[in-house]
Amino acid sequence: MTLVKHRTRTLRLATAALAIGLLATACGGGKQTENTAADSGGKGGRLTIATGPTTGVYYQIGGGLAELISDDLDGYRATATTTGASVQNIQGLGAGTYDLAFSLLDTAGDAVEGKESFSSPQDIEALTRLYPNYTQVLVRSDAGIDSLEDMKGKRVSTGAPGSGTEVIANRLLKAAGLDPAKDISADRLGLPETVDAMKDGTIDALFWSGGLPSGGITDLTTSLKKEVRFLDVTPQLPALNEEYGDVYQTASIPKAVYNQSKDVPTIVVPNVLLVKKGFDPDLAAEIVNLVYKKKSDLEKVNAAAAGIELDMAEIVTPVPLNPGAEKALKALAQKF
C-alpha cells in the first residue's frame, strides 16, 4: 500500500463513524434498498451493522469495522447504523433489519435463553468476544447521592429503551434494594440526551455502559468538571453474580481517561459481535480475520478496541459461536 493510500485510509477510518452516521440518518437507520448479503444468496452485497448511540464506542468501532469490510472484502459494502444498542440490536437481527450487531454479553445471554427483555429464545450466534464495557455511573455533586441506595426519589437516566445500559442499570438498582419502576424517577434516555439533561440539571444521575473513552462521558466530565462525579457500584457485584452468574467482574476506570483525581472502581461486562443463526460461515471467518488482523486500525478509531483479545475471543457462553468464526479463531490462535 502506498504512503498516500495509507494516509487516506487512516483518515477514512478515523472519520468513519461520522460519515456513516450521516448515511444512517439519511436512510432512517435501517437497511438500504439494495440487496443485503443475507438476501442476495451469493457472495457480496450490503451488510448493515447495528451499533449504538452516536456518542458511544459501539458507534465508533462499528463505523471502523464497516470501513474495513468495505475496503477489504471484495463485493461487500458495509454500513453502520445508530441504534438503542444491545436489546434493539438483537431484535433487529431476528427481524432481518441488521446483519451484524454489537451487544453486551449479559444481554446476549438473556436473548439465547429467552428471558428478561426477550419473550422467547433468539436465534443468534457470536463471531467473537470484543472489548469490555465499563459501567459508568455519574451523579451531580449537589444531588446528595453517595451510593446507589441514595438514588431513591432521584431523577435518573437508566439508558435508552432496548439498550444494554438499561439492563444493567435496572439490575444494579435492584441489587441495591430499589425498585426501578417505583423508587426512582426514571428517564429512559440515550447518551446524547442524557448528557444534555445532566448539563441542564433536569436529572440527578446517569447510568452508561460503554468502552473507554465514551465520547458523551468525556463531554460531560470536561464541561461540568467537579459538578459531576463517578459513583462506585462494586458493592453490588456479589448480588449481581449470585443472581446472574459470573459474567460481571470488577475493574477500574483509569483516572487519565476522564481526567479524574483517582481511578474509579466499577463493574465490567464483555461485548460480543453477533449475527443471526445460519450466517454464512465463510463470510463470518473473513470478518473475524479482519477484526484481528486489522485491530490496530480499529484502535485508531477508538482506544477501546485495544481490549479485543484473541485469547478471550471464544469465551462467549452461553451464546454459541458461528462455525466459521470458531474455525477462524482457532486458526488465528495457532498462528499468533
Side-chain angles (χ1 to χ4, degrees), residues 43 127 278-287 322-328:
K43 297 297 181 182
L127 296 189
F279 187 87
D280 180 2
D282 292 333
L283 178 56
E286 289 187 87
I287 293 171
N322 174 280
E326 184 175 13
K327 183 177 179 180

Side-chain angles (χ1 to χ4, degrees), residues 196-207:
D196 290 340
M198 283 287 279
K199 287 180 178 180
D200 63 27
T202 55
I203 60 172
D204 302 301
L206 72 85
F207 288 85

Side-chain angles (χ1 to χ4, degrees), residues 212-294:
L212 301 179
S214 291
I217 304 301
T218 300
D219 176 11
L220 189 62
T221 55
T222 300
S223 59
L224 294 189
K225 297 183 170 56
K226 293 185 178 181
E227 292 181 50
V228 294
R229 56 187 175 79
F230 285 89
L231 199 64
D232 179 0
V233 296
T234 56
Q236 277 65 49
L237 181 62
L240 282 181
N241 283 341
E242 182 178 354
E243 180 71 20
Y244 303 107
D246 59 0
V247 69
Y248 300 105
Q249 298 176 330
T250 57
S252 292
I253 302 171
K255 62 183 181 181
V257 173
Y258 297 121
N259 195 28
Q260 300 297 296
S261 61
K262 58 183 180 181
D263 294 348
V264 180
T266 193
I267 291 170
V268 296
V269 60
N271 290 298
V272 284
L273 184 62
L274 302 175
V275 293
K276 190 174 182 179
K277 186 175 181 180
F279 187 87
D280 180 2
D282 292 333
L283 178 56
E286 289 187 87
I287 293 171
V288 165
N289 281 320
L290 264 186
V291 168
Y292 288 95
K293 292 179 179 179
K294 300 294 180 72

Side-chain angles (χ1 to χ4, degrees), residues 7 28 49 52 58 72 80 85 110 125 156 163 187 193 200 227 256 263 269 304 306 314 317 332 335:
R7 288 176 174 171
I49 306 173
Y58 280 0
D72 290 76
D110 289 345
E125 297 173 333
V156 182
S163 67
D187 286 331
E193 297 79 15
D200 63 27
E227 292 181 50
D263 294 348
V269 60
E314 295 184 67
T317 305
L332 286 166
K335 184 174 182 179

Side-chain angles (χ1 to χ4, degrees), residues 140-153:
R140 290 188 64 88
S141 299
D142 59 2
I145 302 173
D146 295 314
S147 67
L148 285 178
E149 291 84 351
D150 292 335
M151 286 189 181
K152 187 171 184 177

